[in-house]
Amino acid sequence: MAAASKLSVTTRNTTIATVVGVVAYLLYRNSKEAAKKKASNAGIKVIMHEEGGKKERAAVDMVFFRRIFKLMGILVPGLFTAEAWYLFLVGMSLVCRTYADVWMIQNGTAIESSIIGRDMQLFKKHLMSFIFAMPLISTVNNALKYGLNELKLRFRTQLSNHLYSKYLKGFTYYKMSNLDNRIANVDQLLTQDVEKFCDSVAELYSNLSKPILDVILYTGKLTGSIGVQGPAKMLGYLAVSGLLLTRLRRPTGKLTVTEQRLEGEYRYVNSRLITNSEEIAFYQGNQREKGIIIATFNKLVAHLRYFIFFRLQMGFVDI
């Protein structure tokens, strides 16, 4: 009986076995995807007339903060502007949403307590409070979505106007296309990259401000309820786990840069086909161009699939 009890399947053993199995499977898939990615990159390479200088590493350092602050001066030109107003709207919506989340937790707990205690009057009271609060909570959520979408659009408008004022000033557009070959995919930089950058900045503002606000509010409430020791341990755990996750997420910047470069190559080979369509038709080079386009697209797909799998691994670690 003692031996049987030692060999019995417990929740802890099952959890450990599951984690070990998932980690082993992820490591196997990671090596397999890396091998496929390396094999796909060994095919056709697209030359986009870029200088072979030292490549910059994507990192969150002082250079990153100086550049982001300089760009924020373009995205938000002043304190009394529409962009600043929408920043304020998103911030207030996040505050209201945090308080709404706290209220929903408290009200849901009260409803469960009334069900367990079979108190019909208390159940009706909290249920009616929940029903009457739904329109207000829905208004807060929609105000947050509207503010974020409008903020992304206004950021894109400000940055696009600034870049086009520089690009179309004098003969800059002609020099970049015919004299200076350091940038070959200007169309992608001015369209797709600008859109993704503005979306990322707005999401970064939302994703940073709400967790910080949640930590402050929850820490204050827990300190008043259970003392300082509990919140201190929680903040210490968040700090250590945050440093660990930051270390594990370091390849994300490099993978994002590679994704944008491959998107630019794919866009470039398609635009090159349109630009040189007469010469390609004369020399009957359509099959050669088809091979180049398909190979470039396959490189992009392989990288995106590897990036998706990397996010899957980070999802398991975040849990």
Side-chain angles (χ1 to χ4, degrees):
M1 294 295 293
S5 63
K6 289 181 180 179
L7 295 176
S8 61
V9 179
T10 63
T11 304
R12 182 180 178 182
N13 294 337
T14 305
T15 304
I16 293 175
T18 304
V19 170
V20 171
V22 169
V23 171
Y25 174 74
L26 290 178
L27 291 175
Y28 169 74
R29 283 292 304 273
N30 196 12
S31 61
K32 192 174 180 181
E33 292 291 338
K36 287 183 179 180
K37 185 171 177 285
K38 185 177 180 181
S40 64
N41 290 337
I44 297 175
K45 293 185 178 180
V46 179
I47 306 298
M48 299 179 63
H49 307 291
E50 293 182 350
E51 295 291 335
K54 185 179 179 181
K55 294 183 179 180
E56 296 186 15
R57 296 180 61 185
V60 181
D61 50 12
M62 292 306 299
V63 177
F64 169 80
F65 285 111
R66 283 198 299 267
R67 290 176 177 175
I68 196 67
F69 282 132
K70 187 175 181 180
L71 288 170
M72 286 304 298
I74 300 173
L75 299 179
V76 186
L79 185 61
F80 300 100
T81 57
E83 290 76 16
W85 156 250
Y86 280 108
L87 283 173
F88 176 76
L89 174 63
V90 171
M92 292 304 300
S93 299
L94 289 172
V95 173
C96 295
R97 184 173 178 176
T98 299
Y99 279 105
D101 291 341
V102 174
W103 183 87
M104 286 287 291
I105 294 173
Q106 294 176 346
N107 192 70
T109 304
I111 291 176
E112 292 175 359
S113 300
S114 63
I115 293 174
I116 295 172
R118 297 183 180 182
D119 190 339
M120 183 59 67
Q121 295 298 325
L122 190 62
F123 173 76
K124 290 181 179 179
K125 176 184 176 182
H126 291 296
L127 181 61
M128 294 304 296
S129 300
F130 175 79
I131 293 174
F132 288 131
M134 276 295 100
L136 182 59
I137 296 175
S138 177
T139 302
V140 171
N141 290 332
N142 284 283
L144 178 60
K145 292 180 182 178
Y146 170 76
L148 280 175
N149 291 330
E150 187 66 27
L151 195 62
K152 294 175 183 178
L153 184 58
R154 289 189 174 272
F155 280 173
R156 185 180 181 184
T157 302
Q158 291 290 340
L159 188 57
S160 296
N161 290 335
H162 176 79
L163 292 177
Y164 279 115
S165 66
K166 299 292 185 181
Y167 181 61
L168 297 175
K169 182 179 181 180
F171 297 99
T172 304
Y173 60 94
Y174 174 77
K175 294 177 181 178
M176 292 179 66
S177 301
N178 298 279
L179 303 179
D180 192 350
N181 294 325
R182 289 177 296 178
I183 301 176
N185 55 333
V186 182
D187 53 345
Q188 185 203 359
L189 296 176
L190 292 174
T191 54
Q192 186 178 5
D193 287 358
V194 168
E195 179 186 5
K196 286 192 173 183
F197 173 76
C198 295
D199 291 350
S200 299
V201 171
E203 294 292 340
L204 181 66
Y205 170 68
S206 174
N207 293 335
L208 283 180
S209 54
K210 190 176 189 307
I212 293 174
L213 178 63
D214 290 344
V215 167
I216 294 174
L217 292 178
Y218 291 145
T219 302
K221 286 185 174 293
L222 288 174
T223 303
S225 301
I226 62 176
V228 183
Q229 187 175 4
K233 291 181 179 179
M234 181 186 70
L235 292 177
Y237 167 76
L238 290 176
V240 173
S241 60
L243 292 175
L244 178 62
L245 290 175
T246 302
R247 179 70 179 179
L248 293 175
R249 289 197 189 105
R250 289 184 67 179
T252 303
K254 184 178 179 180
L255 291 173
T256 303
V257 172
T258 305
E259 177 186 348
Q260 292 303 107
R261 178 178 61 82
L262 293 176
E263 289 279 4
E265 289 182 1
Y266 180 57
R267 191 185 186 103
Y268 172 70
V269 293
N270 281 277
S271 63
R272 186 183 64 177
L273 176 63
I274 297 173
T275 303
N276 304 301
S277 58
E278 184 176 353
E279 290 84 354
I280 294 171
F282 180 78
Y283 290 105
Q284 297 182 358
N286 53 310
Q287 293 299 324
R288 175 64 178 172
E289 289 298 319
K290 177 183 177 182
I292 294 175
I293 292 176
I294 295 300
T296 306
F297 179 70
N298 288 336
K299 284 170 58 178
L300 174 61
V301 169
H303 176 76
L304 291 176
R305 184 169 288 116
Y306 177 77
F307 203 179
I308 291 172
F309 184 70
F310 176 79
R311 291 196 185 102
L312 173 65
Q313 296 176 81
M314 288 298 99
F316 280 105
V317 175
D318 287 343
I319 294 175

